[in-house]
Amino acid sequence: MTSTAVHSAYGYDDLPRLMGLMTGDEKHGPAATSTLDALWVLYERVLRVSPERVDDPERDRFLLSKGHGPMAYYAVLAAKGFLGEALLPGFGSYDSPLGHHPDRLLVPGAEISSGSLGHGLPLAVGTALGLRAQGRTGPAVWVLIGDAELDEGSNHEAIAYAGAVGLERLHTLVIDNASATHGWPGGIASRFAAEGWSTATVDGRDHQALYEAYGAPHPGRPHAVVARVEPKN
């Protein structure tokens, strides 16, 4: 898979330090750390977006639906130059743009405001449909959801619709930390496959496996990657 993702002076090894700058209550630590590797591989090796391209209509779109634990997201955005490292220690404070839920009007590079479970995937479907209506076939749409969000019915309507209309520029990344109330025979990927999606299930800490799953060909179909990580305590 070819990629024009933008690299920076920060590396993966810098992320724990960047995350450590964010302190205080209501951190939702497991929700954040479960996404760290998947987010890093996306921004480092896949997404065609940069601080200079946040308004470029041909940019890739990344939507964080799992917005109730944004520390890893903020750390990756800082590592990639979307926001300054100096903002991180103010995380969650009254006058900080970095809230406990991301606000697209305050966080550079954030495509949506998020945190309420079940909203991101339907918004990603709408984004992909909008790009299709504009004739823009280049931008990819990525949305990261938590496995517990699949308890929300809005996601299942979105999964069914996206498969039926063949939204091939839509990619859903499901972080599976065993938080979901419900399940499906054959695992989470089977729910997407039943609606015609291309799917892959990988170790959510294995960077090469994530990269290969992200780039798997899926002509005419949306693509779902289930990234399994350690169960939430």
Side-chain angles (χ1 to χ4, degrees):
M1 181 180 73
T2 59
S3 170
T4 55
V6 177
H7 299 265
S8 70
Y10 289 88
Y12 174 76
D13 291 342
D14 293 300
L15 296 181
R17 181 185 65 80
L18 293 174
M19 287 187 67
L21 295 175
M22 291 174 274
T23 60
D25 298 331
E26 305 265 340
K27 290 197 303 181
H28 286 286
T33 55
S34 65
T35 68
L36 187 62
D37 296 270
L39 280 170
W40 176 254
V41 175
L42 263 181
Y43 273 88
E44 175 69 5
R45 303 180 66 179
V46 177
L47 291 176
R48 297 177 305 113
V49 66
S50 67
E52 297 75 30
R53 297 186 65 190
V54 293
D55 296 318
D56 184 348
E58 293 299 323
R59 73 191 182 280
D60 288 344
R61 273 73 165 173
F62 172 75
L63 284 62
L64 179 71
S65 185
K66 191 179 169 74
H68 59 287
M71 290 194 304
Y73 183 49
Y74 293 155
V76 170
L77 288 178
K80 290 298 174 185
F82 290 87
L83 53 91
E85 179 181 330
L87 289 175
L88 299 180
F91 166 70
S93 61
Y94 175 76
D95 58 352
S96 173
L98 306 183
H100 292 128
H101 294 179
D103 185 328
R104 71 178 184 86
L105 299 179
L106 299 178
V107 180
E111 295 282 354
I112 62 170
S113 302
S114 60
S116 297
L117 301 185
H119 291 179
L121 181 51
L123 287 169
V125 169
T127 301
L129 283 172
L131 290 168
R132 174 187 279 187
Q134 295 172 36
R136 299 189 186 279
T137 59
V141 178
W142 284 85
V143 57
L144 187 153
I145 71 174
D147 60 328
E149 291 193 72
L150 293 173
D151 291 347
E152 305 292 336
S154 56
N155 278 319
H156 296 279
E157 294 180 6
I159 292 168
Y161 182 80
V165 299
L167 287 180
E168 65 178 52
R169 300 307 290 159
L170 175 63
H171 309 75
T172 299
L173 171 58
V174 185
I175 302 298
D176 180 8
N177 64 355
S179 295
T181 302
H182 310 296
W184 298 269
I188 290 173
S190 68
R191 177 67 189 92
F192 289 85
E195 302 293 350
W197 289 56
S198 166
T199 66
T201 300
V202 298
D203 179 348
R205 301 302 186 191
D206 185 328
H207 289 197
Q208 186 60 29
L210 286 165
Y211 177 63
E212 292 174 3
Y214 292 165
H218 52 97
R221 299 194 289 168
H223 185 50
V225 176
V226 179
R228 290 177 170 167
V229 296
E230 57 279 0
K232 179 180 177 181
N233 293 325

